[in-house]
Amino acid sequence: MARFHIVIPAAGIGNRMETAIPKQYLPLSGKPMISYSVQTFFASPRIASINLALSPEDYFWRNLELDANSRLQLHYTGGETRAQTVLNTLLTLQPQMDEDDWILVHDAARPGLTLALLNTLLDSLEHDAVGGLLALPLADTLKQSNTDSRVKSTIPRDGLWQAQTPQMFRYSLLKRALESFDGAPTDEAQAIEALGLEPKLVVGSLRNMKITYPQDMTLMEVLIQKEIA
């Protein structure tokens, strides 16, 4: 039976947050941001391994002693792009993977993933021929700007979705897609699409937002504190 494995690319530095440390390690309600999604994956007995893809210069985890049987694995496989980081990690994991095993790639800066949403993704894609991703149908009107930051045109939002993570594909398929992609895909789904395949869209959640700007962190703090109260 195919197993589920998590890969979390965490080699970035988060320039748009304008902080001295990588944003995945910023404190969020008293814990490093990345710890929330790691805990969610640990809470699922369906997840066989949780693989953090780190920068070679990352010292946050250096003193962590992991049991040989721990589901958490650290890989200092960070590359110049997210896609290269994921591919480097897949190559490192190759000896312990079956070709049909599922790889779920999740953003380190998405602390709002819940166990219920994770299970929805697993249940929706476990028997899918291609795989897919969490995403939200766009609700806002989209405007395309010109070089003067004025509206050039309005883009119809029918059929448009905002991609989230995890994005879930078979090990061999994802590895082939990333190896053959010309350039750097913006996400794993784009690499799969380049093979002529159509990833399935699974409805995500606003809570599963990506932390990109300081105000995003403030909003996530409010959501977490409301749940604690």
PDB file of all heavy atoms in Angstrom, residues 157-185:
ATOM      1  N   ARG A 157     -13.045  36.082 -13.054  1.00  0.00           N
ATOM      2  CA  ARG A 157     -12.549  35.145 -12.032  1.00  0.00           C
ATOM      3  C   ARG A 157     -13.178  33.761 -12.141  1.00  0.00           C
ATOM      4  O   ARG A 157     -12.843  32.860 -11.372  1.00  0.00           O
ATOM      5  CB  ARG A 157     -12.772  35.711 -10.636  1.00  0.00           C
ATOM      6  CG  ARG A 157     -14.236  35.913 -10.250  1.00  0.00           C
ATOM      7  CD  ARG A 157     -14.362  36.334  -8.803  1.00  0.00           C
ATOM      8  NE  ARG A 157     -15.752  36.489  -8.402  1.00  0.00           N
ATOM      9  CZ  ARG A 157     -16.378  37.639  -8.275  1.00  0.00           C
ATOM     10  NH1 ARG A 157     -15.723  38.765  -8.556  1.00  0.00           N
ATOM     11  NH2 ARG A 157     -17.625  37.705  -7.882  1.00  0.00           N
ATOM     12  N   ASP A 158     -14.092  33.583 -13.095  1.00  0.00           N
ATOM     13  CA  ASP A 158     -14.731  32.277 -13.262  1.00  0.00           C
ATOM     14  C   ASP A 158     -13.677  31.203 -13.525  1.00  0.00           C
ATOM     15  O   ASP A 158     -12.851  31.322 -14.435  1.00  0.00           O
ATOM     16  CB  ASP A 158     -15.718  32.304 -14.432  1.00  0.00           C
ATOM     17  CG  ASP A 158     -16.890  33.242 -14.182  1.00  0.00           C
ATOM     18  OD1 ASP A 158     -17.101  33.605 -13.009  1.00  0.00           O
ATOM     19  OD2 ASP A 158     -17.572  33.618 -15.152  1.00  0.00           O
ATOM     20  N   GLY A 159     -13.699  30.175 -12.722  1.00  0.00           N
ATOM     21  CA  GLY A 159     -12.767  29.066 -12.908  1.00  0.00           C
ATOM     22  C   GLY A 159     -11.379  29.309 -12.347  1.00  0.00           C
ATOM     23  O   GLY A 159     -10.493  28.465 -12.514  1.00  0.00           O
ATOM     24  N   LEU A 160     -11.162  30.449 -11.682  1.00  0.00           N
ATOM     25  CA  LEU A 160      -9.846  30.743 -11.119  1.00  0.00           C
ATOM     26  C   LEU A 160      -9.795  30.341  -9.651  1.00  0.00           C
ATOM     27  O   LEU A 160     -10.734  30.586  -8.888  1.00  0.00           O
ATOM     28  CB  LEU A 160      -9.517  32.234 -11.257  1.00  0.00           C
ATOM     29  CG  LEU A 160      -9.345  32.764 -12.678  1.00  0.00           C
ATOM     30  CD1 LEU A 160      -9.000  34.244 -12.655  1.00  0.00           C
ATOM     31  CD2 LEU A 160      -8.251  31.985 -13.412  1.00  0.00           C
ATOM     32  N   TRP A 161      -8.686  29.737  -9.271  1.00  0.00           N
ATOM     33  CA  TRP A 161      -8.483  29.275  -7.901  1.00  0.00           C
ATOM     34  C   TRP A 161      -7.145  29.813  -7.385  1.00  0.00           C
ATOM     35  O   TRP A 161      -6.201  29.996  -8.152  1.00  0.00           O
ATOM     36  CB  TRP A 161      -8.439  27.749  -7.840  1.00  0.00           C
ATOM     37  CG  TRP A 161      -9.727  27.059  -8.173  1.00  0.00           C
ATOM     38  CD1 TRP A 161     -10.415  27.119  -9.352  1.00  0.00           C
ATOM     39  CD2 TRP A 161     -10.472  26.172  -7.326  1.00  0.00           C
ATOM     40  NE1 TRP A 161     -11.534  26.337  -9.297  1.00  0.00           N
ATOM     41  CE2 TRP A 161     -11.595  25.739  -8.064  1.00  0.00           C
ATOM     42  CE3 TRP A 161     -10.287  25.702  -6.024  1.00  0.00           C
ATOM     43  CZ2 TRP A 161     -12.533  24.857  -7.545  1.00  0.00           C
ATOM     44  CZ3 TRP A 161     -11.213  24.824  -5.499  1.00  0.00           C
ATOM     45  CH2 TRP A 161     -12.331  24.408  -6.251  1.00  0.00           C
ATOM     46  N   GLN A 162      -7.067  30.003  -6.081  1.00  0.00           N
ATOM     47  CA  GLN A 162      -5.808  30.375  -5.422  1.00  0.00           C
ATOM     48  C   GLN A 162      -5.190  29.110  -4.838  1.00  0.00           C
ATOM     49  O   GLN A 162      -5.776  28.461  -3.974  1.00  0.00           O
ATOM     50  CB  GLN A 162      -6.070  31.394  -4.313  1.00  0.00           C
ATOM     51  CG  GLN A 162      -4.818  31.831  -3.579  1.00  0.00           C
ATOM     52  CD  GLN A 162      -5.110  32.854  -2.503  1.00  0.00           C
ATOM     53  OE1 GLN A 162      -6.231  33.357  -2.394  1.00  0.00           O
ATOM     54  NE2 GLN A 162      -4.122  33.160  -1.700  1.00  0.00           N
ATOM     55  N   ALA A 163      -4.012  28.763  -5.334  1.00  0.00           N
ATOM     56  CA  ALA A 163      -3.357  27.530  -4.897  1.00  0.00           C
ATOM     57  C   ALA A 163      -2.894  27.627  -3.455  1.00  0.00           C
ATOM     58  O   ALA A 163      -2.406  28.666  -3.002  1.00  0.00           O
ATOM     59  CB  ALA A 163      -2.172  27.220  -5.806  1.00  0.00           C
ATOM     60  N   GLN A 164      -3.055  26.526  -2.731  1.00  0.00           N
ATOM     61  CA  GLN A 164      -2.527  26.386  -1.381  1.00  0.00           C
ATOM     62  C   GLN A 164      -1.635  25.145  -1.340  1.00  0.00           C
ATOM     63  O   GLN A 164      -1.268  24.589  -2.373  1.00  0.00           O
ATOM     64  CB  GLN A 164      -3.672  26.264  -0.366  1.00  0.00           C
ATOM     65  CG  GLN A 164      -4.579  27.483  -0.269  1.00  0.00           C
ATOM     66  CD  GLN A 164      -5.583  27.377   0.867  1.00  0.00           C
ATOM     67  OE1 GLN A 164      -5.968  26.287   1.312  1.00  0.00           O
ATOM     68  NE2 GLN A 164      -6.033  28.531   1.353  1.00  0.00           N
ATOM     69  N   THR A 165      -1.259  24.753  -0.159  1.00  0.00           N
ATOM     70  CA  THR A 165      -0.555  23.488   0.053  1.00  0.00           C
ATOM     71  C   THR A 165      -1.198  22.806   1.260  1.00  0.00           C
ATOM     72  O   THR A 165      -1.868  23.467   2.052  1.00  0.00           O
ATOM     73  CB  THR A 165       0.953  23.706   0.319  1.00  0.00           C
ATOM     74  OG1 THR A 165       1.142  24.383   1.560  1.00  0.00           O
ATOM     75  CG2 THR A 165       1.613  24.484  -0.805  1.00  0.00           C
ATOM     76  N   PRO A 166      -1.006  21.495   1.405  1.00  0.00           N
ATOM     77  CA  PRO A 166      -0.120  20.629   0.646  1.00  0.00           C
ATOM     78  C   PRO A 166      -0.573  20.402  -0.793  1.00  0.00           C
ATOM     79  O   PRO A 166      -1.739  20.479  -1.105  1.00  0.00           O
ATOM     80  CB  PRO A 166      -0.164  19.310   1.436  1.00  0.00           C
ATOM     81  CG  PRO A 166      -0.647  19.647   2.794  1.00  0.00           C
ATOM     82  CD  PRO A 166      -1.582  20.793   2.580  1.00  0.00           C
ATOM     83  N   GLN A 167       0.452  20.102  -1.629  1.00  0.00           N
ATOM     84  CA  GLN A 167       0.228  19.633  -2.980  1.00  0.00           C
ATOM     85  C   GLN A 167       0.737  18.190  -3.004  1.00  0.00           C
ATOM     86  O   GLN A 167       1.833  17.901  -2.522  1.00  0.00           O
ATOM     87  CB  GLN A 167       0.950  20.518  -3.986  1.00  0.00           C
ATOM     88  CG  GLN A 167       0.511  21.984  -3.859  1.00  0.00           C
ATOM     89  CD  GLN A 167       0.864  22.838  -5.047  1.00  0.00           C
ATOM     90  OE1 GLN A 167       1.475  22.393  -6.012  1.00  0.00           O
ATOM     91  NE2 GLN A 167       0.469  24.109  -4.978  1.00  0.00           N
ATOM     92  N   MET A 168      -0.051  17.294  -3.552  1.00  0.00           N
ATOM     93  CA  MET A 168       0.142  15.853  -3.324  1.00  0.00           C
ATOM     94  C   MET A 168       0.232  15.084  -4.641  1.00  0.00           C
ATOM     95  O   MET A 168      -0.715  15.073  -5.431  1.00  0.00           O
ATOM     96  CB  MET A 168      -1.038  15.351  -2.472  1.00  0.00           C
ATOM     97  CG  MET A 168      -1.093  13.873  -2.223  1.00  0.00           C
ATOM     98  SD  MET A 168      -2.459  13.528  -1.064  1.00  0.00           S
ATOM     99  CE  MET A 168      -2.741  11.797  -1.429  1.00  0.00           C
ATOM    100  N   PHE A 169       1.393  14.446  -4.852  1.00  0.00           N
ATOM    101  CA  PHE A 169       1.614  13.686  -6.079  1.00  0.00           C
ATOM    102  C   PHE A 169       2.456  12.444  -5.775  1.00  0.00           C
ATOM    103  O   PHE A 169       3.183  12.410  -4.778  1.00  0.00           O
ATOM    104  CB  PHE A 169       2.321  14.550  -7.127  1.00  0.00           C
ATOM    105  CG  PHE A 169       1.560  15.802  -7.479  1.00  0.00           C
ATOM    106  CD1 PHE A 169       1.923  17.027  -6.929  1.00  0.00           C
ATOM    107  CD2 PHE A 169       0.459  15.740  -8.329  1.00  0.00           C
ATOM    108  CE1 PHE A 169       1.203  18.179  -7.219  1.00  0.00           C
ATOM    109  CE2 PHE A 169      -0.267  16.888  -8.630  1.00  0.00           C
ATOM    110  CZ  PHE A 169       0.111  18.112  -8.074  1.00  0.00           C
ATOM    111  N   ARG A 170       2.380  11.450  -6.656  1.00  0.00           N
ATOM    112  CA  ARG A 170       3.183  10.243  -6.482  1.00  0.00           C
ATOM    113  C   ARG A 170       4.664  10.593  -6.575  1.00  0.00           C
ATOM    114  O   ARG A 170       5.071  11.482  -7.329  1.00  0.00           O
ATOM    115  CB  ARG A 170       2.844   9.223  -7.567  1.00  0.00           C
ATOM    116  CG  ARG A 170       1.384   8.788  -7.588  1.00  0.00           C
ATOM    117  CD  ARG A 170       1.066   7.758  -6.550  1.00  0.00           C
ATOM    118  NE  ARG A 170      -0.305   7.255  -6.710  1.00  0.00           N
ATOM    119  CZ  ARG A 170      -0.862   6.359  -5.906  1.00  0.00           C
ATOM    120  NH1 ARG A 170      -0.176   5.851  -4.888  1.00  0.00           N
ATOM    121  NH2 ARG A 170      -2.110   5.962  -6.104  1.00  0.00           N
ATOM    122  N   TYR A 171       5.480   9.860  -5.824  1.00  0.00           N
ATOM    123  CA  TYR A 171       6.915  10.142  -5.764  1.00  0.00           C
ATOM    124  C   TYR A 171       7.541  10.164  -7.154  1.00  0.00           C
ATOM    125  O   TYR A 171       8.201  11.139  -7.541  1.00  0.00           O
ATOM    126  CB  TYR A 171       7.631   9.102  -4.897  1.00  0.00           C
ATOM    127  CG  TYR A 171       9.133   9.260  -4.940  1.00  0.00           C
ATOM    128  CD1 TYR A 171       9.773  10.188  -4.128  1.00  0.00           C
ATOM    129  CD2 TYR A 171       9.909   8.508  -5.821  1.00  0.00           C
ATOM    130  CE1 TYR A 171      11.151  10.360  -4.178  1.00  0.00           C
ATOM    131  CE2 TYR A 171      11.279   8.681  -5.888  1.00  0.00           C
ATOM    132  CZ  TYR A 171      11.888   9.599  -5.068  1.00  0.00           C
ATOM    133  OH  TYR A 171      13.254   9.789  -5.141  1.00  0.00           O
ATOM    134  N   SER A 172       7.353   9.104  -7.935  1.00  0.00           N
ATOM    135  CA  SER A 172       8.030   9.014  -9.224  1.00  0.00           C
ATOM    136  C   SER A 172       7.539  10.086 -10.191  1.00  0.00           C
ATOM    137  O   SER A 172       8.320  10.650 -10.962  1.00  0.00           O
ATOM    138  CB  SER A 172       7.833   7.624  -9.836  1.00  0.00           C
ATOM    139  OG  SER A 172       6.455   7.347 -10.021  1.00  0.00           O
ATOM    140  N   LEU A 173       6.246  10.401 -10.136  1.00  0.00           N
ATOM    141  CA  LEU A 173       5.687  11.412 -11.028  1.00  0.00           C
ATOM    142  C   LEU A 173       6.219  12.795 -10.695  1.00  0.00           C
ATOM    143  O   LEU A 173       6.623  13.559 -11.582  1.00  0.00           O
ATOM    144  CB  LEU A 173       4.158  11.399 -10.948  1.00  0.00           C
ATOM    145  CG  LEU A 173       3.435  12.462 -11.782  1.00  0.00           C
ATOM    146  CD1 LEU A 173       3.722  12.275 -13.272  1.00  0.00           C
ATOM    147  CD2 LEU A 173       1.925  12.407 -11.511  1.00  0.00           C
ATOM    148  N   LEU A 174       6.237  13.135  -9.419  1.00  0.00           N
ATOM    149  CA  LEU A 174       6.716  14.455  -9.012  1.00  0.00           C
ATOM    150  C   LEU A 174       8.205  14.616  -9.310  1.00  0.00           C
ATOM    151  O   LEU A 174       8.643  15.670  -9.795  1.00  0.00           O
ATOM    152  CB  LEU A 174       6.451  14.673  -7.522  1.00  0.00           C
ATOM    153  CG  LEU A 174       6.886  16.022  -6.953  1.00  0.00           C
ATOM    154  CD1 LEU A 174       6.250  17.177  -7.714  1.00  0.00           C
ATOM    155  CD2 LEU A 174       6.566  16.107  -5.462  1.00  0.00           C
ATOM    156  N   LYS A 175       8.971  13.590  -9.056  1.00  0.00           N
ATOM    157  CA  LYS A 175      10.403  13.643  -9.344  1.00  0.00           C
ATOM    158  C   LYS A 175      10.639  13.867 -10.839  1.00  0.00           C
ATOM    159  O   LYS A 175      11.450  14.716 -11.240  1.00  0.00           O
ATOM    160  CB  LYS A 175      11.073  12.348  -8.889  1.00  0.00           C
ATOM    161  CG  LYS A 175      12.559  12.232  -9.203  1.00  0.00           C
ATOM    162  CD  LYS A 175      13.118  10.974  -8.558  1.00  0.00           C
ATOM    163  CE  LYS A 175      14.506  10.643  -9.065  1.00  0.00           C
ATOM    164  NZ  LYS A 175      14.487  10.179 -10.475  1.00  0.00           N
ATOM    165  N   ARG A 176       9.916  13.133 -11.682  1.00  0.00           N
ATOM    166  CA  ARG A 176      10.063  13.286 -13.129  1.00  0.00           C
ATOM    167  C   ARG A 176       9.634  14.679 -13.583  1.00  0.00           C
ATOM    168  O   ARG A 176      10.286  15.294 -14.441  1.00  0.00           O
ATOM    169  CB  ARG A 176       9.235  12.210 -13.849  1.00  0.00           C
ATOM    170  CG  ARG A 176       9.237  12.326 -15.371  1.00  0.00           C
ATOM    171  CD  ARG A 176       8.786  11.023 -16.009  1.00  0.00           C
ATOM    172  NE  ARG A 176       7.436  10.652 -15.625  1.00  0.00           N
ATOM    173  CZ  ARG A 176       6.339  10.970 -16.311  1.00  0.00           C
ATOM    174  NH1 ARG A 176       6.455  11.690 -17.438  1.00  0.00           N
ATOM    175  NH2 ARG A 176       5.153  10.579 -15.920  1.00  0.00           N
ATOM    176  N   ALA A 177       8.560  15.178 -13.008  1.00  0.00           N
ATOM    177  CA  ALA A 177       8.056  16.495 -13.390  1.00  0.00           C
ATOM    178  C   ALA A 177       9.056  17.594 -13.058  1.00  0.00           C
ATOM    179  O   ALA A 177       9.300  18.501 -13.860  1.00  0.00           O
ATOM    180  CB  ALA A 177       6.722  16.761 -12.701  1.00  0.00           C
ATOM    181  N   LEU A 178       9.658  17.527 -11.879  1.00  0.00           N
ATOM    182  CA  LEU A 178      10.621  18.557 -11.474  1.00  0.00           C
ATOM    183  C   LEU A 178      11.924  18.441 -12.262  1.00  0.00           C
ATOM    184  O   LEU A 178      12.550  19.454 -12.585  1.00  0.00           O
ATOM    185  CB  LEU A 178      10.892  18.449  -9.969  1.00  0.00           C
ATOM    186  CG  LEU A 178       9.713  18.809  -9.057  1.00  0.00           C
ATOM    187  CD1 LEU A 178      10.062  18.518  -7.598  1.00  0.00           C
ATOM    188  CD2 LEU A 178       9.310  20.271  -9.224  1.00  0.00           C
ATOM    189  N   GLU A 179      12.336  17.228 -12.569  1.00  0.00           N
ATOM    190  CA  GLU A 179      13.572  17.035 -13.331  1.00  0.00           C
ATOM    191  C   GLU A 179      13.434  17.529 -14.770  1.00  0.00           C
ATOM    192  O   GLU A 179      14.404  18.013 -15.365  1.00  0.00           O
ATOM    193  CB  GLU A 179      13.952  15.551 -13.330  1.00  0.00           C
ATOM    194  CG  GLU A 179      14.506  15.051 -12.004  1.00  0.00           C
ATOM    195  CD  GLU A 179      14.798  13.565 -12.012  1.00  0.00           C
ATOM    196  OE1 GLU A 179      14.096  12.820 -12.734  1.00  0.00           O
ATOM    197  OE2 GLU A 179      15.715  13.134 -11.295  1.00  0.00           O
ATOM    198  N   SER A 180      12.234  17.432 -15.329  1.00  0.00           N
ATOM    199  CA  SER A 180      12.056  17.759 -16.740  1.00  0.00           C
ATOM    200  C   SER A 180      11.558  19.182 -16.977  1.00  0.00           C
ATOM    201  O   SER A 180      11.543  19.641 -18.122  1.00  0.00           O
ATOM    202  CB  SER A 180      11.071  16.771 -17.382  1.00  0.00           C
ATOM    203  OG  SER A 180       9.797  16.855 -16.763  1.00  0.00           O
ATOM    204  N   PHE A 181      11.177  19.895 -15.925  1.00  0.00           N
ATOM    205  CA  PHE A 181      10.607  21.234 -16.115  1.00  0.00           C
ATOM    206  C   PHE A 181      11.686  22.205 -16.592  1.00  0.00           C
ATOM    207  O   PHE A 181      12.800  22.229 -16.063  1.00  0.00           O
ATOM    208  CB  PHE A 181       9.987  21.735 -14.809  1.00  0.00           C
ATOM    209  CG  PHE A 181       9.104  22.945 -14.990  1.00  0.00           C
ATOM    210  CD1 PHE A 181       7.772  22.808 -15.310  1.00  0.00           C
ATOM    211  CD2 PHE A 181       9.622  24.230 -14.856  1.00  0.00           C
ATOM    212  CE1 PHE A 181       6.950  23.917 -15.489  1.00  0.00           C
ATOM    213  CE2 PHE A 181       8.820  25.349 -15.035  1.00  0.00           C
ATOM    214  CZ  PHE A 181       7.476  25.187 -15.351  1.00  0.00           C
ATOM    215  N   ASP A 182      11.337  23.012 -17.572  1.00  0.00           N
ATOM    216  CA  ASP A 182      12.269  23.996 -18.123  1.00  0.00           C
ATOM    217  C   ASP A 182      12.158  25.294 -17.332  1.00  0.00           C
ATOM    218  O   ASP A 182      11.230  26.073 -17.518  1.00  0.00           O
ATOM    219  CB  ASP A 182      11.955  24.245 -19.596  1.00  0.00           C
ATOM    220  CG  ASP A 182      12.964  25.194 -20.243  1.00  0.00           C
ATOM    221  OD1 ASP A 182      14.026  25.436 -19.637  1.00  0.00           O
ATOM    222  OD2 ASP A 182      12.679  25.697 -21.352  1.00  0.00           O
ATOM    223  N   GLY A 183      13.089  25.493 -16.394  1.00  0.00           N
ATOM    224  CA  GLY A 183      13.042  26.668 -15.529  1.00  0.00           C
ATOM    225  C   GLY A 183      12.640  26.278 -14.122  1.00  0.00           C
ATOM    226  O   GLY A 183      12.838  25.134 -13.698  1.00  0.00           O
ATOM    227  N   ALA A 184      12.052  27.230 -13.399  1.00  0.00           N
ATOM    228  CA  ALA A 184      11.650  26.985 -12.012  1.00  0.00           C
ATOM    229  C   ALA A 184      10.145  27.153 -11.889  1.00  0.00           C
ATOM    230  O   ALA A 184       9.630  28.268 -11.987  1.00  0.00           O
ATOM    231  CB  ALA A 184      12.372  27.942 -11.065  1.00  0.00           C
ATOM    232  N   PRO A 185       9.399  26.067 -11.684  1.00  0.00           N
ATOM    233  CA  PRO A 185       7.947  26.190 -11.534  1.00  0.00           C
ATOM    234  C   PRO A 185       7.600  26.939 -10.248  1.00  0.00           C
ATOM    235  O   PRO A 185       8.339  26.881  -9.266  1.00  0.00           O
ATOM    236  CB  PRO A 185       7.478  24.735 -11.467  1.00  0.00           C
ATOM    237  CG  PRO A 185       8.661  23.982 -10.935  1.00  0.00           C
ATOM    238  CD  PRO A 185       9.859  24.673 -11.506  1.00  0.00           C
TER     239      PRO A 185
END
